[in-house]
Amino acid sequence: MATEKFHYTSKSGKKITLPKFGQGIKAGFIRRIRKLSEGEQVFEFIEAVADEKTLEVIDDFDTAELGEFFGAWQKDAGVGVGESSASAS
């Protein structure tokens, strides 16, 4: 459903809301970032769907929390690194 969202509360207590991981992302976007490193892909995904306020919260994450956040975002959508929501069963 296109209205479903992912909700995350940071360790500092700030709440952010994003579309489900991969929701609204077109094949052309995936094609354009396919050769980027995994780290660059992470930020391309986040920047494609997050507003400035959300990016400010994410920018305050340490590397451990960034990994937890991104993993939770993917898990919520039922996908892992290198998968699309279309390939998840």
Side-chain angles (χ1 to χ4, degrees):
M1 176 178 281
T3 60
E4 291 184 67
K5 301 288 184 182
F6 168 71
H7 302 276
Y8 183 84
T9 302
S10 71
K11 291 178 182 177
S12 66
K14 295 180 180 173
K15 296 178 189 268
I16 59 175
T17 302
L18 292 172
K20 292 276 189 182
F21 181 81
Q23 189 176 61
I25 300 293
K26 304 285 186 189
F29 176 82
I30 302 296
R31 180 185 53 76
R32 285 190 299 277
I33 70 167
R34 74 187 184 279
K35 294 182 181 178
L36 297 177
S37 71
E38 186 176 309
E40 289 173 330
Q41 288 180 9
V42 167
F43 287 105
E44 289 289 334
F45 267 103
I46 292 169
E47 291 170 353
V49 298
D51 60 21
E52 284 301 314
K53 184 178 175 184
T54 300
L55 290 173
E56 288 175 12
V57 173
I58 293 169
D59 284 348
D60 282 337
F61 292 172
D62 60 24
T63 55
E65 185 169 14
L66 179 63
E68 291 168 16
F69 159 76
F70 196 68
W73 191 26
Q74 289 181 307
K75 183 178 179 183
D76 178 71
V79 298
V81 174
E83 295 180 6
S84 72
S85 55
S87 66
S89 310

Coordinates of all heavy atoms in Angstrom, one line a residue:
M1 N 0.8 -1.2 0.0 CA 0.0 0.0 0.0 C 0.9 1.2 0.0 O 1.8 1.4 0.8 CB -0.9 0.0 1.2 CG -1.8 1.2 1.4 SD -2.9 1.1 2.8 CE -4.1 0.1 2.1
A2 N 0.6 2.2 -0.8 CA 1.5 3.4 -1.0 C 1.5 4.3 0.2 O 2.3 5.1 0.3 CB 1.0 4.1 -2.3
T3 N 0.5 4.2 1.1 CA 0.5 5.1 2.2 C 1.2 4.5 3.4 O 1.3 5.2 4.4 CB -1.0 5.4 2.6 OG1 -1.7 4.2 2.9 CG2 -1.7 6.1 1.5
E4 N 1.7 3.3 3.4 CA 2.4 2.8 4.5 C 3.7 3.5 4.7 O 4.4 3.9 3.8 CB 2.7 1.3 4.3 CG 1.5 0.4 4.3 CD 1.8 -1.0 4.2 OE1 2.5 -1.6 5.1 OE2 1.5 -1.6 3.1
K5 N 4.1 3.7 6.0 CA 5.3 4.4 6.3 C 6.2 3.6 7.3 O 5.7 2.7 8.0 CB 5.0 5.7 7.0 CG 4.1 6.7 6.1 CD 4.9 7.3 5.0 CE 4.1 8.3 4.3 NZ 4.8 8.8 3.1
F6 N 7.4 3.9 7.4 CA 8.4 3.4 8.3 C 8.6 4.5 9.4 O 8.9 5.6 9.0 CB 9.7 3.0 7.6 CG 10.8 2.7 8.5 CD1 10.8 1.6 9.3 CD2 11.9 3.6 8.7 CE1 11.9 1.3 10.2 CE2 12.9 3.3 9.5 CZ 12.9 2.2 10.3
H7 N 8.5 4.1 10.6 CA 8.7 5.0 11.7 C 9.9 4.6 12.5 O 10.1 3.4 12.8 CB 7.5 5.0 12.6 CG 6.2 5.4 11.9 ND1 5.9 6.7 11.7 CD2 5.3 4.7 11.3 CE1 4.7 6.8 11.0 NE2 4.3 5.5 10.8
Y8 N 10.7 5.5 12.9 CA 12.0 5.2 13.7 C 12.2 6.3 14.7 O 12.0 7.5 14.4 CB 13.2 5.2 12.7 CG 14.5 4.8 13.4 CD1 14.8 3.5 13.6 CD2 15.4 5.8 13.8 CE1 16.0 3.1 14.2 CE2 16.6 5.5 14.4 CZ 16.9 4.1 14.6 OH 18.1 3.8 15.2
T9 N 12.5 5.9 15.9 CA 12.9 6.8 17.0 C 14.3 6.7 17.2 O 14.8 5.6 17.5 CB 12.1 6.5 18.3 OG1 10.7 6.6 17.9 CG2 12.4 7.5 19.3
S10 N 15.1 7.8 17.1 CA 16.5 7.8 17.3 C 16.9 7.6 18.7 O 16.0 7.7 19.6 CB 17.1 9.1 16.8 OG 16.8 10.2 17.6
K11 N 18.1 7.3 19.0 CA 18.6 7.2 20.4 C 18.4 8.4 21.2 O 18.3 8.4 22.4 CB 20.1 6.7 20.4 CG 20.3 5.3 19.9 CD 21.7 4.9 19.9 CE 21.9 3.6 19.3 NZ 23.3 3.2 19.2
S12 N 18.4 9.6 20.5 CA 18.2 10.9 21.1 C 16.7 11.2 21.3 O 16.3 12.2 21.9 CB 18.8 12.0 20.3 OG 18.2 12.2 19.1
G13 N 15.8 10.3 20.9 CA 14.4 10.4 21.0 C 13.7 11.1 19.9 O 12.5 11.4 20.0
K14 N 14.4 11.5 18.9 CA 13.8 12.2 17.7 C 13.1 11.1 16.8 O 13.7 10.1 16.5 CB 14.8 13.0 17.0 CG 15.3 14.2 17.8 CD 16.3 15.0 17.0 CE 16.9 16.1 17.9 NZ 18.0 16.8 17.3
K15 N 11.9 11.5 16.4 CA 11.1 10.5 15.5 C 11.2 11.0 14.1 O 11.1 12.2 13.8 CB 9.7 10.5 16.0 CG 9.5 10.0 17.4 CD 8.0 10.0 17.8 CE 7.9 9.7 19.3 NZ 7.7 8.3 19.6
I16 N 11.4 10.0 13.2 CA 11.4 10.3 11.8 C 10.4 9.3 11.1 O 10.2 8.2 11.6 CB 12.8 10.2 11.1 CG1 13.4 8.8 11.3 CG2 13.7 11.3 11.7 CD1 14.8 8.7 10.6
T17 N 9.9 9.7 10.0 CA 9.0 8.9 9.2 C 9.4 8.9 7.8 O 9.7 10.0 7.2 CB 7.5 9.4 9.3 OG1 7.2 9.4 10.7 CG2 6.6 8.5 8.5
L18 N 9.6 7.8 7.2 CA 9.9 7.6 5.8 C 9.0 6.7 5.1 O 8.3 5.9 5.7 CB 11.4 7.1 5.6 CG 12.5 7.9 6.1 CD1 13.8 7.1 6.1 CD2 12.6 9.2 5.3
P19 N 8.9 6.8 3.8 CA 8.2 5.7 3.0 C 8.8 4.4 3.3 O 10.0 4.3 3.7 CB 8.4 6.1 1.6 CG 8.8 7.5 1.6 CD 9.5 7.7 2.9
K20 N 8.1 3.3 3.2 CA 8.7 2.0 3.3 C 9.9 1.9 2.4 O 9.9 2.5 1.3 CB 7.7 0.9 2.8 CG 6.5 0.7 3.7 CD 6.9 -0.2 4.9 CE 5.6 -0.5 5.7 NZ 5.9 -1.3 6.8
F21 N 10.9 1.2 2.7 CA 12.2 1.1 2.0 C 11.8 0.6 0.5 O 11.1 -0.4 0.3 CB 13.1 0.1 2.6 CG 14.4 -0.1 1.9 CD1 15.4 0.8 2.0 CD2 14.6 -1.1 1.0 CE1 16.6 0.7 1.3 CE2 15.8 -1.2 0.3 CZ 16.8 -0.3 0.5
G22 N 12.3 1.4 -0.4 CA 12.1 1.1 -1.8 C 10.8 1.5 -2.4 O 10.6 1.5 -3.6
Q23 N 9.9 2.0 -1.6 CA 8.6 2.4 -2.1 C 8.7 3.7 -2.9 O 9.4 4.7 -2.5 CB 7.7 2.7 -0.9 CG 6.2 2.9 -1.2 CD 5.4 3.1 0.0 OE1 5.6 4.0 0.8 NE2 4.4 2.2 0.2
G24 N 8.2 3.7 -4.1 CA 8.2 4.8 -5.0 C 9.5 4.9 -5.7 O 9.7 5.9 -6.5
I25 N 10.4 4.0 -5.5 CA 11.7 4.1 -6.3 C 11.6 3.4 -7.6 O 11.1 2.2 -7.6 CB 12.9 3.4 -5.4 CG1 13.0 4.1 -4.1 CG2 14.1 3.3 -6.2 CD1 13.6 5.5 -4.2
K26 N 11.9 4.0 -8.6 CA 11.8 3.5 -10.0 C 13.0 2.7 -10.4 O 14.1 2.9 -9.9 CB 11.6 4.6 -11.0 CG 10.4 5.5 -10.7 CD 9.1 4.9 -11.0 CE 8.0 5.8 -10.8 NZ 6.7 5.3 -10.9
A27 N 12.8 1.8 -11.4 CA 13.9 1.0 -11.9 C 15.1 1.9 -12.4 O 16.3 1.5 -12.2 CB 13.4 0.1 -13.0
G28 N 14.8 3.0 -13.0 CA 15.9 3.9 -13.5 C 16.8 4.4 -12.3 O 18.0 4.5 -12.5
F29 N 16.2 4.6 -11.2 CA 17.0 5.1 -10.0 C 18.0 3.9 -9.6 O 19.1 4.2 -9.4 CB 16.1 5.4 -8.8 CG 16.8 5.8 -7.6 CD1 17.3 7.0 -7.4 CD2 17.0 4.8 -6.6 CE1 18.0 7.4 -6.2 CE2 17.7 5.2 -5.4 CZ 18.2 6.4 -5.2
I30 N 17.4 2.7 -9.5 CA 18.3 1.5 -9.2 C 19.4 1.4 -10.2 O 20.5 1.1 -9.9 CB 17.4 0.3 -9.1 CG1 16.3 0.4 -8.1 CG2 18.3 -1.0 -8.8 CD1 16.7 0.6 -6.7
R31 N 19.0 1.5 -11.5 CA 20.0 1.4 -12.5 C 21.1 2.4 -12.4 O 22.3 2.1 -12.5 CB 19.4 1.5 -13.9 CG 20.3 1.4 -15.1 CD 19.7 1.7 -16.4 NE 18.9 2.9 -16.5 CZ 19.5 4.1 -16.6 NH1 20.9 4.2 -16.7 NH2 18.8 5.2 -16.7
R32 N 20.8 3.7 -12.1 CA 21.8 4.7 -12.0 C 22.7 4.5 -10.8 O 23.9 5.0 -10.9 CB 21.1 6.1 -11.9 CG 20.5 6.6 -13.2 CD 20.0 8.0 -13.2 NE 19.0 8.2 -12.2 CZ 17.7 8.0 -12.4 NH1 17.3 7.5 -13.6 NH2 16.8 8.3 -11.5
I33 N 22.2 3.9 -9.7 CA 23.1 3.8 -8.5 C 23.8 2.4 -8.4 O 24.5 2.2 -7.5 CB 22.4 4.1 -7.2 CG1 21.3 3.1 -6.9 CG2 21.8 5.5 -7.3 CD1 20.8 3.2 -5.5
R34 N 23.5 1.5 -9.3 CA 23.9 0.1 -9.2 C 25.4 -0.1 -9.1 O 25.9 -1.0 -8.5 CB 23.4 -0.7 -10.4 CG 24.1 -0.5 -11.7 CD 23.4 -1.2 -12.8 NE 24.1 -1.1 -14.1 CZ 24.1 0.0 -14.9 NH1 23.3 1.0 -14.6 NH2 24.8 0.0 -16.0
K35 N 26.2 0.8 -9.6 CA 27.7 0.7 -9.6 C 28.3 1.5 -8.5 O 29.5 1.4 -8.3 CB 28.3 1.1 -10.9 CG 27.9 0.2 -12.1 CD 28.5 0.6 -13.4 CE 28.0 -0.3 -14.5 NZ 28.6 0.0 -15.8
L36 N 27.5 2.2 -7.7 CA 28.0 2.9 -6.5 C 28.4 1.9 -5.4 O 27.8 0.8 -5.4 CB 27.0 3.9 -6.0 CG 26.6 5.0 -7.0 CD1 25.5 5.9 -6.3 CD2 27.8 5.9 -7.3
S37 N 29.2 2.3 -4.5 CA 29.5 1.5 -3.3 C 28.2 1.3 -2.5 O 27.3 2.1 -2.6 CB 30.6 2.1 -2.5 OG 30.1 3.2 -1.8
E38 N 28.2 0.3 -1.7 CA 27.0 0.1 -0.8 C 26.7 1.3 0.0 O 25.6 1.8 0.2 CB 27.2 -1.1 0.1 CG 26.0 -1.5 0.9 CD 26.2 -2.8 1.7 OE1 26.6 -3.8 1.1 OE2 25.9 -2.7 2.9
G39 N 27.8 1.9 0.6 CA 27.6 3.1 1.4 C 27.0 4.3 0.6 O 26.1 5.0 1.1
E40 N 27.5 4.5 -0.6 CA 26.9 5.5 -1.4 C 25.4 5.3 -1.8 O 24.6 6.2 -1.8 CB 27.7 5.7 -2.7 CG 29.1 6.4 -2.4 CD 30.0 6.4 -3.6 OE1 29.9 5.5 -4.4 OE2 30.8 7.3 -3.6
Q41 N 25.1 4.0 -2.0 CA 23.8 3.6 -2.3 C 22.8 3.9 -1.1 O 21.7 4.4 -1.3 CB 23.7 2.1 -2.7 CG 24.2 1.8 -4.0 CD 24.1 0.3 -4.4 OE1 23.5 -0.5 -3.6 NE2 24.8 -0.1 -5.4
V42 N 23.3 3.7 0.1 CA 22.5 3.9 1.3 C 22.1 5.4 1.3 O 20.9 5.7 1.5 CB 23.3 3.6 2.6 CG1 22.6 4.2 3.8 CG2 23.5 2.1 2.7
F43 N 23.0 6.3 1.1 CA 22.7 7.7 1.1 C 21.9 8.2 0.0 O 21.0 9.0 0.1 CB 24.0 8.5 1.3 CG 24.5 8.4 2.7 CD1 25.7 7.6 2.9 CD2 23.9 9.0 3.8 CE1 26.1 7.5 4.2 CE2 24.4 8.9 5.1 CZ 25.5 8.1 5.3
E44 N 22.1 7.6 -1.2 CA 21.2 7.9 -2.4 C 19.8 7.5 -2.1 O 18.9 8.3 -2.4 CB 21.7 7.2 -3.6 CG 23.0 7.7 -4.2 CD 22.9 9.0 -4.8 OE1 21.8 9.4 -5.3 OE2 23.9 9.8 -4.9
F45 N 19.5 6.4 -1.5 CA 18.2 6.0 -1.1 C 17.6 7.0 -0.1 O 16.5 7.4 -0.3 CB 18.2 4.6 -0.5 CG 17.9 3.5 -1.5 CD1 18.9 2.7 -1.9 CD2 16.6 3.2 -1.9 CE1 18.7 1.7 -2.9 CE2 16.4 2.2 -2.8 CZ 17.4 1.4 -3.3
I46 N 18.3 7.3 1.0 CA 17.8 8.2 2.0 C 17.5 9.5 1.4 O 16.5 10.1 1.7 CB 18.8 8.2 3.2 CG1 18.9 6.9 3.9 CG2 18.4 9.4 4.1 CD1 20.0 6.8 4.9
E47 N 18.5 10.1 0.7 CA 18.3 11.4 0.1 C 17.2 11.5 -0.9 O 16.6 12.5 -1.1 CB 19.6 11.9 -0.5 CG 20.6 12.2 0.6 CD 22.0 12.5 0.0 OE1 22.3 12.3 -1.2 OE2 22.9 12.8 0.8
A48 N 16.8 10.3 -1.5 CA 15.8 10.3 -2.5 C 14.4 10.5 -1.9 O 13.4 10.9 -2.5 CB 15.8 9.0 -3.3
V49 N 14.3 10.1 -0.6 CA 12.9 10.1 0.0 C 12.8 10.9 1.3 O 11.7 11.2 1.7 CB 12.5 8.6 0.4 CG1 12.4 7.8 -0.9 CG2 13.5 8.0 1.4
A50 N 13.9 11.4 1.8 CA 13.8 12.2 3.1 C 13.8 13.7 2.8 O 14.4 14.2 1.9 CB 15.0 11.8 4.0
D51 N 13.1 14.4 3.7 CA 13.1 15.8 3.7 C 14.3 16.3 4.5 O 15.0 15.6 5.1 CB 11.8 16.4 4.1 CG 11.5 16.1 5.6 OD1 12.4 15.7 6.4 OD2 10.3 16.2 5.9
E52 N 14.6 17.6 4.4 CA 15.7 18.2 5.1 C 15.7 18.0 6.6 O 16.7 17.7 7.2 CB 15.8 19.7 4.8 CG 16.4 20.0 3.4 CD 17.8 19.4 3.2 OE1 18.7 19.5 4.0 OE2 17.9 18.8 2.1
K53 N 14.5 18.1 7.2 CA 14.4 17.9 8.7 C 14.8 16.4 9.1 O 15.6 16.2 10.0 CB 13.0 18.2 9.2 CG 12.8 18.0 10.6 CD 11.4 18.4 11.0 CE 11.1 18.2 12.5 NZ 9.8 18.4 12.9
T54 N 14.4 15.5 8.3 CA 14.7 14.1 8.5 C 16.2 13.9 8.3 O 16.9 13.2 9.1 CB 13.9 13.2 7.6 OG1 12.5 13.4 7.9 CG2 14.3 11.7 7.8
L55 N 16.8 14.5 7.2 CA 18.2 14.3 7.0 C 19.0 14.9 8.1 O 20.1 14.3 8.5 CB 18.6 15.0 5.6 CG 18.1 14.3 4.4 CD1 18.4 15.2 3.2 CD2 18.7 12.9 4.2
E56 N 18.6 16.0 8.7 CA 19.3 16.6 9.9 C 19.3 15.6 11.0 O 20.4 15.5 11.7 CB 18.6 17.9 10.3 CG 18.9 19.0 9.3 CD 18.1 20.3 9.7 OE1 17.6 20.4 10.8 OE2 18.0 21.2 8.9
V57 N 18.2 14.9 11.3 CA 18.2 13.9 12.4 C 19.2 12.7 12.0 O 20.0 12.3 12.8 CB 16.8 13.3 12.6 CG1 16.8 12.2 13.6 CG2 15.8 14.4 13.1
I58 N 19.1 12.3 10.8 CA 20.0 11.2 10.4 C 21.4 11.6 10.4 O 22.3 10.8 10.8 CB 19.6 10.7 9.0 CG1 18.2 10.0 9.0 CG2 20.6 9.7 8.4 CD1 17.6 9.7 7.7
D59 N 21.7 12.8 10.1 CA 23.1 13.3 10.1 C 23.7 13.3 11.5 O 24.9 13.2 11.6 CB 23.2 14.7 9.5 CG 23.1 14.8 8.0 OD1 23.2 13.8 7.4 OD2 22.9 15.9 7.5
D60 N 22.9 13.3 12.5 CA 23.3 13.2 13.9 C 23.6 11.8 14.4 O 24.1 11.6 15.5 CB 22.4 13.9 14.9 CG 22.5 15.4 14.8 OD1 23.6 15.9 14.4 OD2 21.5 16.1 15.2
F61 N 23.2 10.8 13.6 CA 23.5 9.4 14.0 C 25.0 9.1 14.0 O 25.7 9.6 13.1 CB 22.8 8.4 13.0 CG 21.3 8.4 13.0 CD1 20.6 7.6 12.0 CD2 20.5 9.1 13.9 CE1 19.3 7.6 12.0 CE2 19.2 9.0 13.9 CZ 18.5 8.3 12.9
D62 N 25.4 8.3 14.9 CA 26.8 7.8 14.8 C 26.7 6.6 13.8 O 25.6 6.2 13.4 CB 27.4 7.4 16.2 CG 26.6 6.4 16.9 OD1 25.9 5.5 16.3 OD2 26.7 6.3 18.2
T63 N 27.8 6.0 13.5 CA 27.8 5.0 12.5 C 27.1 3.7 12.9 O 26.4 3.1 12.1 CB 29.3 4.6 12.1 OG1 30.0 4.2 13.2 CG2 30.0 5.7 11.3
A64 N 27.1 3.5 14.2 CA 26.4 2.3 14.7 C 24.9 2.5 14.6 O 24.1 1.6 14.1 CB 26.7 2.0 16.2
E65 N 24.4 3.7 14.9 CA 23.0 4.0 14.8 C 22.5 4.0 13.3 O 21.4 3.6 13.0 CB 22.5 5.2 15.5 CG 21.0 5.4 15.5 CD 20.5 6.5 16.4 OE1 21.2 7.3 16.9 OE2 19.2 6.5 16.6
L66 N 23.4 4.6 12.5 CA 23.1 4.6 11.1 C 22.9 3.2 10.5 O 21.9 2.9 9.8 CB 24.2 5.3 10.3 CG 23.9 5.4 8.8 CD1 22.7 6.2 8.4 CD2 25.2 6.0 8.1
G67 N 23.7 2.3 10.9 CA 23.6 0.9 10.5 C 22.3 0.3 11.1 O 21.6 -0.4 10.3
E68 N 22.0 0.6 12.3 CA 20.7 0.0 12.9 C 19.5 0.6 12.2 O 18.6 -0.1 11.9 CB 20.7 0.4 14.4 CG 21.7 -0.3 15.3 CD 21.8 0.3 16.7 OE1 20.9 1.1 17.1 OE2 22.8 0.0 17.4
F69 N 19.5 1.9 12.0 CA 18.4 2.5 11.3 C 18.2 1.9 9.9 O 17.1 1.5 9.5 CB 18.7 4.1 11.2 CG 17.9 4.7 10.0 CD1 16.6 5.0 10.2 CD2 18.5 5.1 8.9 CE1 15.8 5.6 9.2 CE2 17.8 5.7 7.8 CZ 16.5 5.9 8.0
F70 N 19.3 1.9 9.1 CA 19.1 1.3 7.7 C 18.7 -0.1 7.7 O 17.9 -0.5 7.0 CB 20.4 1.5 7.0 CG 20.2 1.4 5.5 CD1 19.5 2.3 4.8 CD2 20.8 0.3 4.8 CE1 19.3 2.2 3.4 CE2 20.6 0.2 3.4 CZ 19.8 1.1 2.7
G71 N 19.3 -0.9 8.7 CA 18.8 -2.3 8.8 C 17.4 -2.4 9.1 O 16.7 -3.3 8.6
A72 N 16.9 -1.6 10.1 CA 15.5 -1.6 10.5 C 14.6 -1.2 9.4 O 13.5 -1.8 9.2 CB 15.3 -0.7 11.7
W73 N 15.0 -0.2 8.6 CA 14.3 0.3 7.4 C 14.1 -0.9 6.4 O 13.0 -1.1 5.9 CB 14.9 1.5 6.8 CG 14.2 2.3 5.8 CD1 12.8 2.4 5.7 CD2 14.7 3.1 4.8 NE1 12.5 3.3 4.7 CE2 13.6 3.7 4.1 CE3 16.0 3.4 4.4 CZ2 13.8 4.6 3.1 CZ3 16.2 4.3 3.4 CH2 15.1 4.9 2.7
Q74 N 15.2 -1.6 6.1 CA 15.1 -2.7 5.2 C 14.3 -3.8 5.7 O 13.4 -4.4 5.0 CB 16.5 -3.2 4.8 CG 17.3 -2.2 4.0 CD 18.6 -2.8 3.6 OE1 19.4 -3.2 4.5 NE2 19.0 -2.8 2.4
K75 N 14.5 -4.2 7.0 CA 13.8 -5.3 7.6 C 12.3 -5.0 7.6 O 11.5 -5.9 7.3 CB 14.3 -5.5 9.0 CG 13.6 -6.7 9.7 CD 14.2 -6.9 11.1 CE 13.5 -8.1 11.8 NZ 14.0 -8.3 13.1
D76 N 11.9 -3.8 7.9 CA 10.5 -3.4 7.9 C 9.8 -3.7 6.6 O 8.7 -4.0 6.5 CB 10.4 -1.9 8.3 CG 9.0 -1.4 8.3 OD1 8.2 -1.8 9.2 OD2 8.6 -0.6 7.4
A77 N 10.6 -3.5 5.5 CA 10.1 -3.7 4.1 C 10.2 -5.1 3.7 O 9.7 -5.5 2.6 CB 10.7 -2.8 3.2
G78 N 10.9 -6.0 4.5 CA 11.1 -7.4 4.1 C 12.2 -7.6 3.1 O 12.1 -8.6 2.3
V79 N 13.1 -6.7 3.0 CA 14.2 -6.8 2.0 C 15.6 -6.7 2.7 O 15.7 -6.1 3.8 CB 14.2 -5.8 0.9 CG1 12.9 -6.0 0.1 CG2 14.3 -4.4 1.3
G80 N 16.6 -7.2 2.1 CA 18.0 -7.0 2.5 C 18.8 -6.3 1.5 O 18.3 -6.0 0.4
V81 N 20.0 -6.0 1.8 CA 20.9 -5.3 0.9 C 21.0 -6.1 -0.4 O 21.1 -7.4 -0.4 CB 22.3 -5.2 1.5 CG1 23.3 -4.6 0.4 CG2 22.3 -4.3 2.7
G82 N 20.8 -5.4 -1.5 CA 20.9 -6.1 -2.9 C 19.6 -6.6 -3.4 O 19.5 -7.2 -4.4
E83 N 18.5 -6.5 -2.6 CA 17.2 -7.0 -3.0 C 16.3 -5.8 -3.2 O 16.5 -4.8 -2.7 CB 16.6 -7.9 -1.9 CG 17.3 -9.1 -1.6 CD 16.6 -9.9 -0.4 OE1 15.5 -9.5 0.0 OE2 17.1 -10.9 0.0
S84 N 15.3 -6.1 -4.0 CA 14.2 -5.1 -4.2 C 13.0 -5.6 -3.5 O 12.9 -6.8 -3.2 CB 14.0 -4.8 -5.6 OG 13.3 -5.9 -6.2
S85 N 12.0 -4.8 -3.2 CA 10.8 -5.2 -2.6 C 10.0 -6.2 -3.6 O 9.3 -7.0 -3.1 CB 9.9 -4.1 -2.2 OG 9.6 -3.2 -3.3
A86 N 10.3 -6.1 -4.8 CA 9.7 -7.0 -5.8 C 10.2 -8.4 -5.7 O 9.5 -9.3 -6.0 CB 9.9 -6.4 -7.2
S87 N 11.5 -8.5 -5.2 CA 12.1 -9.9 -5.2 C 11.9 -10.5 -3.8 O 12.2 -11.7 -3.7 CB 13.6 -9.8 -5.5 OG 14.3 -9.1 -4.5
A88 N 11.4 -9.8 -2.9 CA 11.1 -10.4 -1.5 C 9.9 -11.2 -1.6 O 8.9 -10.8 -2.2 CB 11.0 -9.3 -0.5
S89 N 9.9 -12.3 -0.9 CA 8.7 -13.2 -0.8 C 8.0 -13.1 0.5 O 8.6 -13.1 1.5 CB 9.0 -14.6 -1.1 OG 9.8 -14.7 -2.3

